[in-house]
């Protein structure tokens, strides 16, 4: 039986968590009405990827007042896990009966790491349970001005209503050991969260599908230069220029593109998957099975608290 999946490509409203939760609810409902059982949104869709790090002059300068104000707004828009926003996301997944993957800027509320922000992936099963919570292992380049380093939690697929689902965030797809950890967990479906899925991100997503013999939902989002934070210096780009142009796509376990890429427009990208295709493709390559050499290589994931 075919499994219908969807990537919701949209433009989040920077720093407006409530508005973006409304978008998630509306778009997840539309995808479910079209028959999708899985719906994915891009990296930090809650509440918008911080493209201003790379496009607004001066943000990396020590003591820049514009950066401080933008950072404070990001902190205010970042969510607690668990918290009010995760309860709302849980309700969306449950009400629509979909497996829901959403990227979010997360804030630690109390205890160790109090106040730290993380770039996180949240996966809710169709019954509303939060079944996977992964924090990006290494924020990429300028992202380190905002987010802390994640840990080994969430580095694996989990059982859901549609089979085993896992995910990674952006440049984690170029971390060979992170990929192997997910491959070893037996993914049927992999969610690849990106700010936008440009050419190199397409390559990484397609390679991941082929290497892992799984389906990949590559989820991007939209942003024009005009929508960058007003408290920062204006970028050199024209206001109408796309800084994030979407690029969402779906890839199969043989590396074939099944849907997309979808550029420069808001749309729900839908694909019908044949789960048995993943089993068939393992005949020639299975990096966690007959194409692995555990007698030569040793690999383990260190979890918090491990000695």
């Amino acid at each position: 039986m075919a499994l219908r999946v969807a990537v919701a490509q949209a433009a989040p409203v920077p720093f407006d968590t409530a508005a973006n939760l409304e978008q998630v609810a509306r778009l997840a409902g539309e995808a479910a009405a079209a028959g999708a059982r899985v719906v994915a949104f891009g990296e930090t869709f809650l509440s918008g990827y911080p493209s201003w790090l790379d496009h607004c002059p001066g943000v990396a300068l020590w003591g820049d007042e514009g950066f401080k104000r933008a950072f404070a707004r990001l902190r205010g828009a970042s969510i607690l896990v668990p918290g009010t926003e995760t309860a709302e996301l849980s309700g969306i997944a449950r009400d629509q009966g979909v497996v829901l993957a959403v990227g979010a800027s997360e804030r630690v509320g109390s205890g160790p790491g109090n106040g730290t922000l993380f770039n996180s992936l949240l996966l809710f099963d169709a019954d509303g349970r939060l079944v996977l919570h992964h924090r990006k292992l290494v924020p990429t380049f300028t992202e380190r001005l905002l987010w802390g380093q994640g840990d080994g939690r969430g580095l694996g697929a989990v059982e859901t209503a549609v089979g085993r689902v896992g995910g990674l965030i952006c440049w984690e797809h170029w971390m060979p050991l992170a990929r192997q950890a997910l491959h070893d967990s037996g993914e049927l479906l992999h969610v690849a969260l990106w700010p936008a899925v440009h050419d190199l991100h397409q390559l990484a997503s397609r390679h991941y599908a082929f290497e892992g013999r799984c389906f990949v939902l590559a989820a991007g989002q939209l942003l024009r230069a005009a929508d960058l934070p007003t408290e920062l210096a204006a970028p050199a780009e024209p206001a109408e220029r796309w800084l994030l142009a979407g690029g969402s796509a779906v890839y199969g376990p043989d590396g074939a593109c099944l849907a997309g890429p979808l550029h420069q427009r808001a749309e729900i990208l839908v694909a019908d998957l044949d789960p048995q295709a993943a089993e068939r493709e393992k005949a020639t390559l299975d990096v966690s099975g007959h194409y692995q050499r555990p007698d030569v290589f040793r690999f383990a994931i260190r979890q918090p608290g491990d000695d």
Side-chain angles (χ1 to χ4, degrees):
M1 179 181 293
L3 169 64
R4 178 162 291 185
V5 300
V7 178
Q9 181 168 290
V13 182
F15 308 129
D16 194 334
T17 306
N20 294 323
L21 282 168
E22 289 179 3
Q23 285 205 78
V24 171
R26 175 176 56 82
L27 294 171
E30 292 177 9
R37 299 186 63 200
V38 180
V39 186
F41 292 80
E43 181 178 2
T44 62
F45 191 85
L46 301 177
S47 272
Y49 184 78
S51 293
W52 40 275
L53 288 171
D54 301 316
H55 292 278
C56 294
V59 293
L61 296 178
W62 184 266
D64 182 79
E65 289 299 323
F67 170 78
K68 290 179 182 179
R69 289 192 292 272
F71 180 76
R73 291 185 70 188
L74 178 67
R75 279 182 52 79
S78 297
I79 69 173
L80 298 174
V81 182
T84 303
E85 293 84 4
T86 52
E88 188 166 342
L89 292 167
S90 171
I92 294 168
R94 182 180 61 251
D95 293 346
Q96 300 301 334
V98 297
V99 175
L100 177 66
V102 182
S105 181
E106 176 193 352
R107 176 172 54 87
V108 176
S110 61
N114 180 25
T116 301
L117 304 184
F118 292 99
N119 182 333
S120 298
L121 186 164
L122 306 175
L123 183 73
F124 298 84
D125 205 351
D127 61 3
R129 289 179 300 123
L130 176 61
V131 290
L132 189 147
H133 173 200
H134 171 59
R135 293 167 172 169
K136 191 173 186 178
L137 291 169
V138 182
T140 304
F141 200 51
T142 51
E143 292 176 359
R144 296 175 203 180
L145 291 167
L146 305 179
W147 293 309
Q149 291 191 323
D151 53 40
R153 285 173 286 200
L155 272 181
V158 293
E159 286 291 346
T160 73
V162 300
R164 293 187 66 78
V165 181
L168 291 173
I169 305 168
C170 200
W171 277 35
E172 289 182 321
H173 291 88
W174 281 299
M175 298 178 73
L177 298 184
R179 295 202 311 268
Q180 189 64 45
L182 271 291
H183 297 332
D184 286 349
S185 70
E187 288 176 297
L188 169 67
L189 188 66
H190 177 83
V191 182
L193 302 190
W194 303 94
V197 198
H198 58 60
D199 289 348
L200 279 176
H201 297 168
Q202 297 287 344
L203 177 65
S205 301
R206 186 178 183 186
H207 173 268
Y208 190 98
F210 182 87
E211 180 180 76
R213 290 330 210 195
C214 62
F215 297 95
V216 170
L217 275 63
Q221 59 195 276
L222 303 168
L223 178 75
R224 291 187 187 270
D227 296 319
L228 289 169
T230 56
E231 49 266 271
L232 296 171
E237 292 89 352
E240 69 276 7
R241 181 185 170 188
W242 290 103
L243 302 182
L244 301 176
S248 299
V250 179
Y251 291 96
D254 59 352
C257 186
L258 304 179
L262 178 67
H263 294 288
Q264 299 183 0
R265 67 180 186 273
E267 188 174 313
I268 297 174
L269 184 69
V270 174
D272 290 318
L273 314 182
D274 173 11
Q276 282 301 308
E279 298 301 317
R280 294 193 296 269
E281 293 304 322
K282 287 183 172 66
T284 49
L285 177 68
D286 183 356
V287 297
S288 295
H290 64 78
Y291 221 83
Q292 188 183 60
R293 288 292 303 275
D295 58 320
V296 177
F297 303 108
R298 182 177 300 165
F299 175 62
I301 303 171
R302 288 182 59 85
Q303 297 291 358
D306 287 352
D307 294 330

